Amino acid sequence: MNLNFLEIVSASMVLFAVIDIIGSIPIILDLKKKGGQIEALKASLVALSVLIIFTFLGEKLLGIFGVDISSFAIAGSIILFIMGAEMVMGIEIIKYDGPSGVSIVPIAFPLIAGAGSFTTVLALRAEYAVENIVVAIFLNLAFVYLVLKSTNWVEKILGDGGIHILRKVFGIILLAISVKLFMSNVAIQIHSLFPFLKEALQHS
């Protein structure tokens, strides 16, 4: 074991910023308002399992299906875009009628364990010891669990009016994030398929 406090803190802060469970509260409340069943423990455990598995086997798993990280991120950005559009326009596109409610999709994936966090854990593997990354994942998911368990309290504090405003504001932010994620990864795909375009842009 090569546990390092500084590495754990650094990795935890990076993952906290990427997962951004605080910023996802309006999305979670919106899903709950639609009648989605939220099981905090199930969502947290599923996301924890997925992130740890992806930490060790991510690139290999995607490689089996011939999928790279940028393609995966593009797919995740489309899901996020649809969710943002639902919040802003007050429509329902995705039907959350599965047996597990919304606990697994879309909360565990892609809100908590999504393209951004997958890409992040793979990037962290290049800088930190894997055991420190695993501890950081555990710490973040423990906090996620606490936030998910507190949604009733948050709902009472904000009220219907506050939730409605946050829903619109964060819907637009979610749309912007999804577009940025989509564009940056499409650019990666274009550069990998047409490397001469990258060279031409660099010389222009």
Side-chain angles (χ1 to χ4, degrees):
M1 294 288 286
N2 186 29
L3 292 177
N4 182 297
F5 179 74
L6 289 178
E7 285 196 2
I8 291 171
V9 171
S10 298
S12 295
M13 291 178 68
V14 172
L15 282 170
F16 180 80
V18 172
I19 293 173
D20 190 23
I21 191 63
I22 299 298
S24 298
I25 286 175
I27 303 170
I28 294 165
L29 292 177
D30 182 55
L31 294 172
K32 189 177 178 182
K33 199 173 183 67
K34 291 176 180 176
Q37 180 186 357
I38 297 176
E39 297 177 51
L41 183 61
K42 179 184 286 187
S44 302
L45 288 177
V46 169
L48 174 67
S49 303
V50 170
L51 282 175
I52 289 179
I53 290 170
F54 205 84
T55 300
F56 290 96
L57 303 172
E59 288 184 286
K60 292 180 181 178
L61 285 173
L62 292 180
I64 291 172
F65 299 100
V67 177
D68 55 28
I69 289 294
S70 60
S71 299
F72 195 84
I74 290 170
S77 71
I78 293 171
I79 295 174
L80 293 177
F81 184 89
I82 293 171
M83 291 172 64
E86 285 185 326
M87 294 173 69
V88 172
M89 295 185 284
I91 58 176
E92 184 175 353
I93 301 171
I94 303 173
K95 301 294 183 183
Y96 305 111
D97 55 358
S100 59
V102 297
S103 299
I104 296 177
V105 179
I107 291 178
F109 175 84
L111 275 183
I112 302 170
S117 51
F118 289 158
T119 307
T120 301
V121 294
L122 291 181
L124 290 174
R125 289 257 349 223
E127 299 183 45
Y128 304 130
V130 67
E131 53 264 39
N132 296 323
I133 299 171
V134 170
V135 172
I137 292 171
F138 269 96
L139 291 174
N140 269 273
L141 268 296
F143 183 72
V144 164
Y145 170 74
L146 292 175
V147 171
L148 291 177
K149 285 289 287 183
S150 304
T151 51
N152 288 333
W153 177 77
V154 173
E155 196 171 11
K156 288 178 183 177
I157 294 294
L158 293 175
D160 289 339
I163 292 171
H164 180 76
I165 293 169
L166 283 179
R167 182 181 170 197
K168 300 299 181 185
V169 172
F170 278 89
I172 294 171
I173 293 172
L174 193 61
L175 286 172
I177 291 171
S178 66
V179 170
K180 182 180 179 182
L181 186 63
F182 180 85
M183 294 301 292
S184 60
N185 284 280
V186 165
I188 292 171
Q189 288 291 319
I190 291 173
H191 288 158
S192 64
L193 291 172
F194 307 102
F196 64 88
L197 286 178
K198 186 177 181 180
E199 294 178 11
L201 290 171
Q202 286 174 343
H203 292 296
S204 61

